[in-house]
Amino acid sequence: MTPADLSRTVLHAVRRAVDEDVLRAPVPARVRVERTRPGGSGDYACAVALQLAGPAALPALEVARILRERVAAEPGVGRVEITGPGFLSFTLDTRAESDRALLAAVREQGLAYGHGDALLGEVHQLHHAREIRAAVTAQAVRRLLAAQGARVRTTCAASPDPDWARLGLTVDGYGTPPVPLTGIRPVPAGAPAGELLDRLGPDALRWGLLRAAGHDRAALGPDLLVQGEANALFLVRYARARALALTRGAALLGFTADPAAYGDSPAGPAAYGGRPADPAAHDNSPAGPAAYAGRPADPAPRGDRRPSSTGPAVVSGSTGPAPYDPAARTLLDLIADHPDVLLAGARHRAPDRVARQLEAVAHAFFDFHDSCPPLPTGDEKPSAAHRARLAVAEAAGTVLAGGLSLLGIRAPEHL
């Protein structure tokens, strides 16, 4: 069960309670489910009982009790607890089941993963100044809104700059409509679009204009062209290219990704190793047994890695850590968060949120890649573990490519 599935399950429970006349309150359009914060209970939490208490004229704890018995009966939900003044905390049957559903959803939806209909029927007009950063931001916001089902019209305060065509920027008209897009800080000294394009190229320029929040100064220095980890754009695009390289490498070895192999499933042994964890290696962390036991240190820092012209590079190591390695958990959680980030970026007209999410996914991807190598090494043979790890890597690559596309930035297959 994915977070989106759980949100729909809770919303269904609210509808059932209202239909049964146990709860007299308007059914919300959507229910927000968030990952439990440190120190909390369960896997996810929801404040819908507090939201409905006022309209229902009932204490929040009573509303929570009404909803708990209905949600707890749903498949995929292991336990529902009431905490604090009326929060619902959910523990899923198994994290592995939820993770498999997540990986399958990304695989099925592809670059459209995270798109939805939350804004279906809404009409937005984005009016911006005749300035390059405002124009690029408006186009990115337009794509984010459209990805959530909204209809969008973009207009400019004056006739567009001819150099905007080199960035593929278009507007539906110009003039002075009633609701301008505000809060966007112009580029330093109003640098001409043509000059910035000549110096940085379209992809680096877009990233530089969108990465910072609209009210912050855009960083448009030469660092955007550095081919190394210090450049966030390079890191994001390299992670996407590396994920594709892993898929090509797996094909040469005769296997493909299998989301169903993640965790302890009928598809094969535990996805991270097929061997029991060493009890003596327990690190006493919430993540479980020592995830890195038996794995030699990486001889080269990640910043020293470069794309290989001969094929995907493979990090050497053991057969893999125990299930639920911290690096895998972090990456899977970020992938699960992606739809919410896209929706927030659209609602708040903030493409910088998407850019920061992509950076986090890229960093987590390389940590996962190093900790849980998706390709066999040495005398290893492809196993369920490798098929599962490859599914995680491919899902990360899909999220990165889809996010870059919404920002208007290319995601090359080779770097």
Side-chain angles (χ1 to χ4, degrees):
M1 178 178 287
T2 67
D5 293 332
L6 182 56
S7 176
R8 287 190 289 269
T9 297
V10 177
L11 186 59
H12 177 64
V14 174
R15 287 200 185 98
R16 281 178 55 202
V18 171
D19 291 344
E20 295 166 7
D21 204 29
V22 178
L23 188 64
R24 297 182 178 179
V27 178
R30 63 190 293 266
V31 170
R32 183 174 181 81
V33 173
E34 296 182 326
R35 189 169 295 105
T36 304
R37 296 177 183 178
S41 174
D43 298 321
Y44 296 95
C46 176
V48 67
L50 293 140
Q51 177 186 343
L52 296 175
L58 290 172
L61 286 171
E62 179 61 26
V63 176
R65 280 191 284 270
I66 291 171
L67 298 179
R68 176 179 62 181
E69 62 185 55
R70 287 163 175 79
V71 176
E74 295 294 329
V77 179
R79 186 172 70 255
V80 183
E81 300 173 90
I82 300 174
T83 60
F87 291 101
L88 290 170
S89 296
F90 310 99
T91 300
L92 303 183
D93 275 347
T94 62
R95 292 302 293 267
E97 179 184 346
S98 175
D99 293 336
R100 288 194 293 271
L102 171 66
L103 295 173
V106 178
R107 189 181 185 90
E108 178 182 350
Q109 297 169 30
L111 298 184
Y113 172 67
H115 296 203
D117 58 2
L119 305 183
L120 189 65
E122 294 188 12
V123 179
H124 297 259
Q125 179 161 329
L126 305 176
H127 180 70
H128 58 85
R130 189 180 186 271
E131 189 270 335
I132 184 61
R133 188 179 188 190
V136 167
T137 301
Q139 290 291 318
V141 171
R142 178 176 189 157
R143 282 187 289 269
L144 289 170
L145 288 167
Q148 301 302 324
R151 294 170 56 198
V152 190
R153 185 171 185 264
T154 307
T155 58
C156 182
S159 179
D161 185 328
D163 282 321
W164 290 3
R166 295 167 59 189
L167 276 168
L169 298 177
T170 60
V171 295
D172 298 317
Y174 57 93
T176 310
V179 186
L181 183 65
T182 60
I184 300 175
R185 182 173 176 173
V187 297
E195 175 188 321
L196 292 170
L197 273 165
D198 291 340
R199 179 160 56 87
L200 297 172
D203 292 327
L205 176 57
R206 283 184 186 275
W207 181 268
L209 294 173
L210 297 174
R211 169 58 181 81
H215 58 270
D216 290 333
R217 184 186 181 94
L220 299 174
D223 290 350
L224 288 169
L225 300 178
V226 171
Q227 300 296 290
E229 184 183 6
N231 177 4
L233 174 59
F234 173 84
L235 186 73
V236 169
R237 298 171 86 185
Y238 180 27
R240 148 69 174 175
R242 187 58 170 270
L244 292 176
L246 290 171
T247 299
R248 293 192 297 269
L252 292 174
L253 294 173
F255 74 99
T256 59
D258 182 6
Y262 187 89
D264 190 10
S265 75
Y272 292 100
R275 58 179 174 83
D278 179 5
H282 199 288
D283 64 358
N284 296 320
S285 73
Y292 299 93
R295 174 178 169 268
D298 185 357
R302 185 191 311 146
D304 293 340
R305 299 193 189 105
R306 293 292 182 270
S308 169
S309 59
T310 59
V314 177
V315 179
S316 61
S318 67
T319 55
Y324 309 113
D325 177 276
R329 183 75 270 141
T330 299
L331 180 55
L332 285 162
D333 287 348
L334 285 167
I335 292 171
D337 287 344
H338 187 64
D340 285 340
V341 172
L342 295 187
L343 180 57
R347 287 187 185 278
H348 298 283
R349 301 184 176 185
D352 57 287
R353 296 189 181 201
V354 179
R356 289 194 296 272
Q357 160 81 355
L358 298 182
E359 285 183 50
V361 171
H363 280 289
F365 168 83
F366 282 114
D367 289 341
F368 167 78
H369 177 283
D370 293 353
S371 180
C372 310
L375 300 184
T377 60
D379 295 332
E380 282 186 287
K381 295 189 180 302
S383 66
H386 297 108
R387 294 195 297 274
R389 297 172 194 164
L390 184 61
V392 177
E394 288 184 349
T398 298
V399 165
L400 293 170
L404 287 172
S405 175
L406 288 172
L407 297 181
I409 297 172
R410 293 173 301 158
E413 296 188 4
H414 301 272
L415 278 180

Short mmCIF file of all heavy atoms in Angstrom, two decimals, residues 97-146:
data_model
loop_
_atom_site.label_atom_id
_atom_site.label_comp_id
_atom_site.label_asym_id
_atom_site.label_seq_id
_atom_site.Cartn_x
_atom_site.Cartn_y
_atom_site.Cartn_z
N GLU A 97 5.59 -4.98 1.44
CA GLU A 97 4.42 -4.97 0.57
C GLU A 97 4.18 -3.57 0.01
O GLU A 97 3.88 -3.38 -1.17
CB GLU A 97 3.20 -5.44 1.35
CG GLU A 97 1.91 -5.44 0.53
CD GLU A 97 0.69 -5.83 1.35
OE1 GLU A 97 0.87 -6.35 2.46
OE2 GLU A 97 -0.43 -5.61 0.87
N SER A 98 4.28 -2.57 0.89
CA SER A 98 4.10 -1.18 0.46
C SER A 98 5.15 -0.78 -0.55
O SER A 98 4.86 -0.11 -1.55
CB SER A 98 4.15 -0.26 1.68
OG SER A 98 4.08 1.10 1.30
N ASP A 99 6.39 -1.20 -0.31
CA ASP A 99 7.48 -0.85 -1.23
C ASP A 99 7.29 -1.51 -2.59
O ASP A 99 7.56 -0.90 -3.62
CB ASP A 99 8.83 -1.27 -0.63
CG ASP A 99 9.18 -0.46 0.61
OD1 ASP A 99 8.66 0.67 0.74
OD2 ASP A 99 9.96 -0.95 1.44
N ARG A 100 6.84 -2.77 -2.59
CA ARG A 100 6.61 -3.43 -3.86
C ARG A 100 5.51 -2.72 -4.66
O ARG A 100 5.62 -2.56 -5.88
CB ARG A 100 6.23 -4.91 -3.63
CG ARG A 100 7.38 -5.78 -3.18
CD ARG A 100 7.04 -7.26 -3.30
NE ARG A 100 6.00 -7.66 -2.37
CZ ARG A 100 6.24 -8.09 -1.13
NH1 ARG A 100 7.47 -8.14 -0.66
NH2 ARG A 100 5.23 -8.45 -0.35
N ALA A 101 4.46 -2.29 -3.96
CA ALA A 101 3.39 -1.56 -4.64
C ALA A 101 3.90 -0.23 -5.20
O ALA A 101 3.53 0.18 -6.30
CB ALA A 101 2.23 -1.31 -3.67
N LEU A 102 4.77 0.42 -4.44
CA LEU A 102 5.34 1.69 -4.91
C LEU A 102 6.17 1.48 -6.16
O LEU A 102 6.02 2.20 -7.16
CB LEU A 102 6.20 2.29 -3.80
CG LEU A 102 7.04 3.51 -4.17
CD1 LEU A 102 6.14 4.69 -4.51
CD2 LEU A 102 8.00 3.87 -3.03
N LEU A 103 7.06 0.48 -6.14
CA LEU A 103 7.91 0.23 -7.30
C LEU A 103 7.09 -0.17 -8.51
O LEU A 103 7.40 0.24 -9.64
CB LEU A 103 8.92 -0.87 -6.96
CG LEU A 103 9.95 -0.53 -5.87
CD1 LEU A 103 10.78 -1.75 -5.50
CD2 LEU A 103 10.85 0.62 -6.31
N ALA A 104 6.05 -0.95 -8.29
CA ALA A 104 5.18 -1.35 -9.41
C ALA A 104 4.46 -0.13 -9.99
O ALA A 104 4.29 -0.02 -11.21
CB ALA A 104 4.17 -2.39 -8.95
N ALA A 105 4.04 0.80 -9.12
CA ALA A 105 3.35 2.00 -9.60
C ALA A 105 4.26 2.87 -10.45
O ALA A 105 3.86 3.38 -11.50
CB ALA A 105 2.82 2.80 -8.41
N VAL A 106 5.50 3.05 -10.01
CA VAL A 106 6.45 3.85 -10.79
C VAL A 106 6.73 3.18 -12.12
O VAL A 106 6.78 3.84 -13.17
CB VAL A 106 7.76 4.06 -10.01
CG1 VAL A 106 8.75 4.86 -10.85
CG2 VAL A 106 7.49 4.77 -8.69
N ARG A 107 6.90 1.87 -12.10
CA ARG A 107 7.18 1.13 -13.34
C ARG A 107 6.01 1.26 -14.32
O ARG A 107 6.21 1.42 -15.53
CB ARG A 107 7.43 -0.34 -12.99
CG ARG A 107 7.95 -1.19 -14.15
CD ARG A 107 8.13 -2.63 -13.67
NE ARG A 107 8.71 -3.46 -14.68
CZ ARG A 107 10.02 -3.67 -14.84
NH1 ARG A 107 10.87 -3.05 -14.04
NH2 ARG A 107 10.48 -4.46 -15.77
N GLU A 108 4.78 1.20 -13.81
CA GLU A 108 3.60 1.26 -14.67
C GLU A 108 3.36 2.66 -15.22
O GLU A 108 3.04 2.84 -16.40
CB GLU A 108 2.37 0.80 -13.88
CG GLU A 108 1.08 0.85 -14.67
CD GLU A 108 -0.13 0.45 -13.85
OE1 GLU A 108 0.06 -0.06 -12.72
OE2 GLU A 108 -1.26 0.64 -14.33
N GLN A 109 3.53 3.68 -14.38
CA GLN A 109 3.21 5.05 -14.78
C GLN A 109 4.34 5.75 -15.51
O GLN A 109 4.12 6.72 -16.22
CB GLN A 109 2.80 5.85 -13.55
CG GLN A 109 1.54 5.33 -12.88
CD GLN A 109 1.29 5.97 -11.52
OE1 GLN A 109 1.65 7.12 -11.29
NE2 GLN A 109 0.68 5.22 -10.62
N GLY A 110 5.56 5.29 -15.32
CA GLY A 110 6.70 5.88 -16.02
C GLY A 110 6.89 7.34 -15.67
O GLY A 110 6.77 7.75 -14.51
N LEU A 111 7.17 8.16 -16.68
CA LEU A 111 7.46 9.57 -16.44
C LEU A 111 6.25 10.32 -15.91
O LEU A 111 6.39 11.44 -15.40
CB LEU A 111 7.94 10.24 -17.74
CG LEU A 111 9.24 9.69 -18.34
CD1 LEU A 111 9.66 10.51 -19.55
CD2 LEU A 111 10.37 9.68 -17.31
N ALA A 112 5.08 9.74 -16.01
CA ALA A 112 3.87 10.38 -15.48
C ALA A 112 3.67 10.06 -14.00
O ALA A 112 2.67 10.50 -13.41
CB ALA A 112 2.64 9.93 -16.27
N TYR A 113 4.58 9.33 -13.37
CA TYR A 113 4.45 9.06 -11.94
C TYR A 113 4.46 10.38 -11.17
O TYR A 113 5.34 11.21 -11.35
CB TYR A 113 5.60 8.17 -11.46
CG TYR A 113 5.65 8.01 -9.95
CD1 TYR A 113 4.64 7.33 -9.28
CD2 TYR A 113 6.68 8.57 -9.21
CE1 TYR A 113 4.67 7.20 -7.90
CE2 TYR A 113 6.73 8.44 -7.83
CZ TYR A 113 5.72 7.77 -7.18
OH TYR A 113 5.74 7.64 -5.80
N GLY A 114 3.47 10.56 -10.34
CA GLY A 114 3.35 11.80 -9.58
C GLY A 114 2.35 12.76 -10.18
O GLY A 114 1.93 13.72 -9.53
N HIS A 115 1.98 12.55 -11.46
CA HIS A 115 0.94 13.38 -12.07
C HIS A 115 -0.41 12.93 -11.50
O HIS A 115 -0.57 11.79 -11.08
CB HIS A 115 0.93 13.22 -13.58
CG HIS A 115 2.18 13.72 -14.24
ND1 HIS A 115 2.23 14.10 -15.56
CD2 HIS A 115 3.44 13.91 -13.76
CE1 HIS A 115 3.45 14.48 -15.87
NE2 HIS A 115 4.21 14.37 -14.78
N GLY A 116 -1.38 13.83 -11.49
CA GLY A 116 -2.67 13.48 -10.94
C GLY A 116 -3.76 14.43 -11.38
O GLY A 116 -3.57 15.23 -12.30
N ASP A 117 -4.89 14.35 -10.71
CA ASP A 117 -6.03 15.20 -11.07
C ASP A 117 -6.50 16.05 -9.90
O ASP A 117 -7.66 16.45 -9.83
CB ASP A 117 -7.18 14.33 -11.60
CG ASP A 117 -7.63 13.29 -10.58
OD1 ASP A 117 -7.08 13.26 -9.45
OD2 ASP A 117 -8.53 12.49 -10.91
N ALA A 118 -5.60 16.33 -8.96
CA ALA A 118 -5.98 17.11 -7.78
C ALA A 118 -6.47 18.50 -8.14
O ALA A 118 -7.27 19.09 -7.42
CB ALA A 118 -4.79 17.21 -6.82
N LEU A 119 -6.01 19.05 -9.25
CA LEU A 119 -6.39 20.41 -9.67
C LEU A 119 -7.30 20.38 -10.89
O LEU A 119 -7.44 21.40 -11.59
CB LEU A 119 -5.14 21.25 -9.96
CG LEU A 119 -4.10 21.32 -8.82
CD1 LEU A 119 -2.95 22.23 -9.21
CD2 LEU A 119 -4.75 21.79 -7.52
N LEU A 120 -7.89 19.24 -11.17
CA LEU A 120 -8.76 19.10 -12.33
C LEU A 120 -9.90 20.11 -12.25
O LEU A 120 -10.56 20.26 -11.22
CB LEU A 120 -9.32 17.68 -12.39
CG LEU A 120 -10.09 17.31 -13.66
CD1 LEU A 120 -9.16 17.31 -14.86
CD2 LEU A 120 -10.73 15.93 -13.49
N GLY A 121 -10.14 20.81 -13.37
CA GLY A 121 -11.21 21.80 -13.42
C GLY A 121 -10.77 23.20 -13.04
O GLY A 121 -11.50 24.17 -13.30
N GLU A 122 -9.61 23.33 -12.43
CA GLU A 122 -9.12 24.67 -12.08
C GLU A 122 -8.53 25.35 -13.31
O GLU A 122 -7.92 24.69 -14.17
CB GLU A 122 -8.07 24.60 -10.98
CG GLU A 122 -8.61 24.10 -9.65
CD GLU A 122 -7.59 24.22 -8.53
OE1 GLU A 122 -6.54 24.89 -8.74
OE2 GLU A 122 -7.83 23.65 -7.45
N VAL A 123 -8.69 26.67 -13.39
CA VAL A 123 -8.14 27.46 -14.49
C VAL A 123 -7.20 28.51 -13.89
O VAL A 123 -7.59 29.25 -12.98
CB VAL A 123 -9.26 28.14 -15.30
CG1 VAL A 123 -8.65 28.98 -16.42
CG2 VAL A 123 -10.23 27.11 -15.86
N HIS A 124 -5.97 28.54 -14.38
CA HIS A 124 -4.96 29.47 -13.86
C HIS A 124 -4.43 30.33 -15.00
O HIS A 124 -4.22 29.85 -16.11
CB HIS A 124 -3.80 28.70 -13.23
CG HIS A 124 -4.18 27.89 -12.03
ND1 HIS A 124 -3.96 28.30 -10.75
CD2 HIS A 124 -4.81 26.69 -11.94
CE1 HIS A 124 -4.40 27.39 -9.91
NE2 HIS A 124 -4.93 26.38 -10.61
N GLN A 125 -4.21 31.61 -14.68
CA GLN A 125 -3.53 32.50 -15.63
C GLN A 125 -2.25 32.99 -14.98
O GLN A 125 -2.28 33.55 -13.88
CB GLN A 125 -4.41 33.69 -16.01
CG GLN A 125 -3.69 34.63 -16.98
CD GLN A 125 -4.64 35.55 -17.72
OE1 GLN A 125 -5.77 35.19 -17.97
NE2 GLN A 125 -4.15 36.73 -18.06
N LEU A 126 -1.15 32.74 -15.64
CA LEU A 126 0.16 33.15 -15.14
C LEU A 126 0.64 34.35 -15.95
O LEU A 126 0.96 34.21 -17.13
CB LEU A 126 1.16 32.00 -15.25
CG LEU A 126 0.75 30.68 -14.58
CD1 LEU A 126 1.80 29.61 -14.85
CD2 LEU A 126 0.57 30.87 -13.07
N HIS A 127 0.66 35.50 -15.32
CA HIS A 127 1.10 36.71 -16.01
C HIS A 127 2.43 37.12 -15.40
O HIS A 127 2.57 37.21 -14.19
CB HIS A 127 0.08 37.83 -15.83
CG HIS A 127 0.47 39.10 -16.51
ND1 HIS A 127 0.47 39.22 -17.89
CD2 HIS A 127 0.88 40.29 -16.03
CE1 HIS A 127 0.86 40.44 -18.22
NE2 HIS A 127 1.11 41.11 -17.10
N HIS A 128 3.43 37.35 -16.24
CA HIS A 128 4.77 37.63 -15.72
C HIS A 128 5.41 38.81 -16.43
O HIS A 128 4.96 39.23 -17.51
CB HIS A 128 5.67 36.39 -15.87
CG HIS A 128 5.81 35.91 -17.27
ND1 HIS A 128 6.74 36.43 -18.15
CD2 HIS A 128 5.15 34.94 -17.96
CE1 HIS A 128 6.63 35.81 -19.31
NE2 HIS A 128 5.67 34.91 -19.22
N ALA A 129 6.46 39.32 -15.82
CA ALA A 129 7.20 40.45 -16.39
C ALA A 129 7.99 40.00 -17.62
O ALA A 129 8.22 38.80 -17.83
CB ALA A 129 8.16 41.03 -15.35
N ARG A 130 8.42 40.96 -18.42
CA ARG A 130 9.25 40.66 -19.59
C ARG A 130 10.70 40.51 -19.12
O ARG A 130 11.55 41.38 -19.33
CB ARG A 130 9.12 41.77 -20.64
CG ARG A 130 9.78 41.43 -21.98
CD ARG A 130 9.59 42.59 -22.96
NE ARG A 130 10.07 42.27 -24.29
CZ ARG A 130 11.33 42.48 -24.71
NH1 ARG A 130 12.23 42.98 -23.87
NH2 ARG A 130 11.68 42.16 -25.94
N GLU A 131 10.95 39.38 -18.45
CA GLU A 131 12.24 39.13 -17.82
C GLU A 131 12.46 37.63 -17.83
O GLU A 131 11.53 36.84 -17.63
CB GLU A 131 12.23 39.70 -16.40
CG GLU A 131 13.57 39.71 -15.69
CD GLU A 131 13.81 38.43 -14.91
OE1 GLU A 131 12.82 37.77 -14.53
OE2 GLU A 131 14.98 38.06 -14.72
N ILE A 132 13.69 37.19 -18.07
CA ILE A 132 13.98 35.79 -18.35
C ILE A 132 13.63 34.87 -17.19
O ILE A 132 13.04 33.80 -17.38
CB ILE A 132 15.47 35.60 -18.77
CG1 ILE A 132 15.74 34.15 -19.16
CG2 ILE A 132 16.41 36.08 -17.68
CD1 ILE A 132 14.94 33.65 -20.32
N ARG A 133 13.95 35.25 -15.96
CA ARG A 133 13.67 34.35 -14.84
C ARG A 133 12.16 34.21 -14.63
O ARG A 133 11.67 33.11 -14.37
CB ARG A 133 14.32 34.87 -13.56
CG ARG A 133 14.22 33.85 -12.42
CD ARG A 133 14.88 34.33 -11.15
NE ARG A 133 14.92 33.27 -10.16
CZ ARG A 133 15.27 33.46 -8.89
NH1 ARG A 133 15.62 34.67 -8.47
NH2 ARG A 133 15.27 32.45 -8.04
N ALA A 134 11.44 35.29 -14.76
CA ALA A 134 9.98 35.24 -14.61
C ALA A 134 9.37 34.35 -15.69
O ALA A 134 8.45 33.56 -15.43
CB ALA A 134 9.40 36.64 -14.67
N ALA A 135 9.88 34.46 -16.92
CA ALA A 135 9.33 33.67 -18.02
C ALA A 135 9.61 32.18 -17.83
O ALA A 135 8.72 31.34 -18.03
CB ALA A 135 9.93 34.16 -19.34
N VAL A 136 10.84 31.83 -17.44
CA VAL A 136 11.19 30.42 -17.23
C VAL A 136 10.39 29.84 -16.06
O VAL A 136 9.89 28.70 -16.12
CB VAL A 136 12.71 30.28 -16.97
CG1 VAL A 136 13.05 28.88 -16.45
CG2 VAL A 136 13.48 30.55 -18.26
N THR A 137 10.24 30.62 -14.99
CA THR A 137 9.46 30.15 -13.84
C THR A 137 8.01 29.92 -14.23
O THR A 137 7.40 28.90 -13.86
CB THR A 137 9.54 31.17 -12.69
OG1 THR A 137 10.91 31.35 -12.31
CG2 THR A 137 8.74 30.69 -11.48
N ALA A 138 7.44 30.85 -14.98
CA ALA A 138 6.04 30.71 -15.39
C ALA A 138 5.83 29.45 -16.23
O ALA A 138 4.84 28.73 -16.05
CB ALA A 138 5.60 31.94 -16.18
N GLN A 139 6.77 29.14 -17.12
CA GLN A 139 6.62 27.95 -17.95
C GLN A 139 6.73 26.67 -17.12
O GLN A 139 6.01 25.70 -17.35
CB GLN A 139 7.68 27.95 -19.05
CG GLN A 139 7.47 29.01 -20.13
CD GLN A 139 6.25 28.71 -20.98
OE1 GLN A 139 6.01 27.57 -21.35
NE2 GLN A 139 5.48 29.74 -21.30
N ALA A 140 7.64 26.67 -16.13
CA ALA A 140 7.77 25.50 -15.26
C ALA A 140 6.51 25.31 -14.41
O ALA A 140 6.02 24.19 -14.25
CB ALA A 140 9.00 25.63 -14.37
N VAL A 141 6.00 26.41 -13.87
CA VAL A 141 4.77 26.34 -13.08
C VAL A 141 3.62 25.86 -13.95
O VAL A 141 2.76 25.08 -13.51
CB VAL A 141 4.45 27.70 -12.44
CG1 VAL A 141 3.08 27.69 -11.79
CG2 VAL A 141 5.52 28.07 -11.41
N ARG A 142 3.59 26.31 -15.19
CA ARG A 142 2.54 25.87 -16.10
C ARG A 142 2.56 24.35 -16.27
O ARG A 142 1.51 23.70 -16.23
CB ARG A 142 2.72 26.56 -17.46
CG ARG A 142 1.70 26.13 -18.50
CD ARG A 142 1.86 26.90 -19.79
NE ARG A 142 0.75 26.65 -20.71
CZ ARG A 142 0.39 27.47 -21.67
NH1 ARG A 142 1.04 28.62 -21.85
NH2 ARG A 142 -0.63 27.18 -22.45
N ARG A 143 3.75 23.78 -16.45
CA ARG A 143 3.84 22.33 -16.61
C ARG A 143 3.42 21.60 -15.34
O ARG A 143 2.76 20.56 -15.40
CB ARG A 143 5.27 21.94 -17.00
CG ARG A 143 5.59 22.19 -18.47
CD ARG A 143 6.95 21.63 -18.84
NE ARG A 143 8.02 22.40 -18.23
CZ ARG A 143 8.63 23.44 -18.81
NH1 ARG A 143 8.27 23.82 -20.01
NH2 ARG A 143 9.59 24.08 -18.18
N LEU A 144 3.79 22.14 -14.17
CA LEU A 144 3.42 21.51 -12.91
C LEU A 144 1.91 21.53 -12.71
O LEU A 144 1.30 20.55 -12.28
CB LEU A 144 4.12 22.22 -11.74
CG LEU A 144 5.63 22.00 -11.62
CD1 LEU A 144 6.22 22.93 -10.58
CD2 LEU A 144 5.94 20.55 -11.27
N LEU A 145 1.29 22.67 -13.01
CA LEU A 145 -0.16 22.77 -12.86
C LEU A 145 -0.88 21.83 -13.83
O LEU A 145 -1.84 21.15 -13.46
CB LEU A 145 -0.60 24.21 -13.10
CG LEU A 145 -0.25 25.23 -12.00
CD1 LEU A 145 -0.45 26.65 -12.51
CD2 LEU A 145 -1.09 24.99 -10.76
N ALA A 146 -0.41 21.80 -15.07
CA ALA A 146 -1.04 20.93 -16.07
C ALA A 146 -0.90 19.47 -15.68
O ALA A 146 -1.80 18.65 -15.94
CB ALA A 146 -0.42 21.18 -17.44
#
